[in-house]
């Protein structure tokens, strides 16, 4: 079995804004994810992170490039139809906005059981309701929530239900698209620890998309940094945080708040001139596993 679970090759995606206007949301992005890995994708809003996630999950059809999941070219319509059930069950996504991602007219029990019902999967624990109760307990909620509707839950509880729904399929790949951005700090920590548990205990590979760099440092094995649709740096987490190379990465990391108010006031932030950003260039390996976007004539 290949060590590489997900292989994104030269991915690009363009949104049309009108008859003659387009915006390139993702521009020639390539990276791989290994089995059992938590891979972080960071960058400011509008950098293309969520577009990459939606292309991986076949929500968007990429303009260019290939995405291989377990060797399956998921963007090829013939390949997708051939492996439809595998792709629909073994890959799951958690969205940032749990309110819109959950059907407001369904109970928690029905929401969690829906994927198994759609794909006609026999529940491992006998019936759909018992399975829903088990998955709910796994994310720290008891059976009293089974008959509730999303509107009766807090933001953190709704996100836990969304995670329980995704985990009910026992996915190989979990795409978490800023799953804690709208939650309180204490709830964020609980969700992050839950994702780490899923990875360590069940071997679930996670593509974690976020803009909270401290959280990414705590959770992820490797990190890719995106800016204006380009992947500008990619490295093991410790190496990236200790030795950032791209000017944008340096500016991004220097903006992480420091808990010491005296140190916060006195520290220097790296400057990044947006006008000097070069879209051209290629990812160049400057150290084992550490890639930086540089001009071809560097």
């Amino acid at each position: 079995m290949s060590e590489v679970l997900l292989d994104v090759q030269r991915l690009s995606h363009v949104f049309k804004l009108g008859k003659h206007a387009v915006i390139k949301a993702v521009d020639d992005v390539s990276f791989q994810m290994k089995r059992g890995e938590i891979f972080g994708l960071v960058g400011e809003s509008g950098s293309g992170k969520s577009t990459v996630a939606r292309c991986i999950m076949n929500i968007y059809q990429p303009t260019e490039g290939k995405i291989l999941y377990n060797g399956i070219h998921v963007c090829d319509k013939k390949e997708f139809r051939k492996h439809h059930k595998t792709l629909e069950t073994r890959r799951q996504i958690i969205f940032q906005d749990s309110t819109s991602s959950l059907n407001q007219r369904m109970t928690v029990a029905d929401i969690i059981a829906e994927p198994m019902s759609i794909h006609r999967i026999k529940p491992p624990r006998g019936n759909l309701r018992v399975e829903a109760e088990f998955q709910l307990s796994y994310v720290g909620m008891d059976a009293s929530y089974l008959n509730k509707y999303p509107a009766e839950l807090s933001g953190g509880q709704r996100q836990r239900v969304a995670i329980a729904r995704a985990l009910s399929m026992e996915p190989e790949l979990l795409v978490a698209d800023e799953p804690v951005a709208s939650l309180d700090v204490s709830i964020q920590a609980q969700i992050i620890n839950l994702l780490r548990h899923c990875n360590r205990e069940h071997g679930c590979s996670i593509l974690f998309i976020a803009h909270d760099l401290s959280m990414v440092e705590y959770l992820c094995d490797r990190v890719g940094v995106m800016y204006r649709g380009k992947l500008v740096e990619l490295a093991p987490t410790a190496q990236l945080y200790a030795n950032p190379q791209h000017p944008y990465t340096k500016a991004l990391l220097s903006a992480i708040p420091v808990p010491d108010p005296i140190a916060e006031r006195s520290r220097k932030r790296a400057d990044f001139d947006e006008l000097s950003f070069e879209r051209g260039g290629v990812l160049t390996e400057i150290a084992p596993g550490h890639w930086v976007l540089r001009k071809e004539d560097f």
Side-chain angles (χ1 to χ4, degrees):
M1 186 176 287
S2 172
E3 186 185 10
V4 176
L5 178 66
L6 180 70
D7 188 3
V8 178
Q9 302 176 6
R10 309 204 70 172
L11 178 69
S12 294
H13 189 65
V14 172
F15 289 108
K16 293 183 178 180
L17 302 180
K19 286 186 177 180
H20 305 291
V22 297
I23 182 170
K24 202 161 193 178
V26 178
D27 186 3
D28 199 22
V29 168
S30 299
F31 65 89
Q32 293 182 334
M33 269 187 68
K34 300 175 183 177
R35 295 181 185 277
E37 180 180 35
I38 304 181
F39 183 89
L41 206 55
V42 303
E44 61 193 40
S45 297
S47 61
K49 309 182 302 295
S50 293
T51 303
V52 170
R54 283 161 170 75
C55 288
I56 289 170
M57 294 300 296
N58 292 107
I59 298 172
Y60 296 155
Q61 178 67 23
T63 308
E64 296 176 30
K66 293 176 67 175
I67 301 172
L68 301 177
Y69 169 76
N70 262 333
I72 302 168
H73 185 359
V74 303
C75 303
D76 182 271
K77 293 181 180 178
K78 185 177 180 181
E79 281 279 288
F80 183 85
R81 285 195 298 269
K82 181 179 178 181
H83 301 280
H84 179 263
K85 186 169 183 178
T86 297
L87 294 173
E88 290 293 300
T89 56
R90 304 305 289 167
R91 305 175 304 162
Q92 295 293 316
I93 186 168
I94 303 166
F95 295 100
Q96 175 181 345
D97 185 5
S98 57
T99 303
S100 60
S101 67
L102 302 180
N103 190 329
Q104 301 299 306
R105 297 184 178 184
M106 294 175 68
T107 64
V108 167
D110 291 336
I111 288 170
I112 296 173
E114 186 180 25
M116 287 179 283
S117 179
I118 289 173
H119 295 289
R120 298 180 181 179
I121 296 173
K122 184 178 179 180
R125 290 158 190 87
N127 63 64
L128 291 174
R129 188 173 179 86
V130 172
E131 186 66 29
E133 182 178 346
F134 172 81
Q135 296 297 339
L136 202 59
S137 67
Y138 185 78
V139 298
M141 298 171 69
D142 59 49
S144 65
Y145 291 95
L146 286 172
N147 293 323
K148 293 183 181 293
Y149 291 87
E152 300 176 85
L153 306 178
S154 68
Q157 290 168 341
R158 285 195 298 269
Q159 198 62 288
R160 285 171 182 265
V161 171
I163 294 172
R165 176 178 61 184
L167 295 181
S168 69
M169 304 306 290
E170 299 183 354
E172 280 184 315
L173 174 64
L174 183 63
V175 177
D177 187 5
E178 302 209 34
V180 298
S182 58
L183 304 178
D184 293 338
V185 174
S186 60
I187 304 300
Q188 287 183 6
Q190 294 172 20
I191 298 298
I192 291 302
N193 286 327
L194 176 59
L195 292 176
R196 173 175 268 193
H197 176 77
C198 294
N199 170 258
R200 290 182 171 178
E201 297 298 321
H202 301 279
C204 178
S205 304
I206 301 174
L207 175 60
F208 184 74
I209 296 170
H211 58 258
D212 187 325
L213 297 170
S214 300
M215 193 175 296
V216 169
E217 183 179 18
Y218 169 76
L219 181 67
C220 300
D221 302 307
R222 288 190 303 142
V223 181
V225 181
M226 290 192 68
Y227 180 69
R228 291 187 180 178
K230 299 285 290 187
L231 189 63
V232 299
E233 191 160 357
L234 172 63
T237 304
Q239 191 170 342
L240 182 83
Y241 280 72
N243 187 31
Q245 291 296 308
H246 194 276
Y248 176 70
T249 309
K250 292 179 181 179
L252 205 62
L253 295 181
S254 71
I256 299 176
V258 176
D260 184 342
I262 297 175
E264 175 68 22
R265 284 195 298 269
S266 61
R267 73 190 180 109
K268 292 183 179 180
R269 289 178 171 80
D271 292 325
F272 176 66
D273 182 6
E274 296 183 10
L275 297 177
S276 67
F277 177 65
E278 294 278 353
R279 296 194 68 88
V282 294
L283 279 176
T284 304
E285 191 171 24
I286 62 168
H290 193 158
W291 300 77
V292 183
L293 185 70
R294 289 184 170 176
K295 295 179 183 179
E296 294 188 63
D297 60 351
F298 186 85

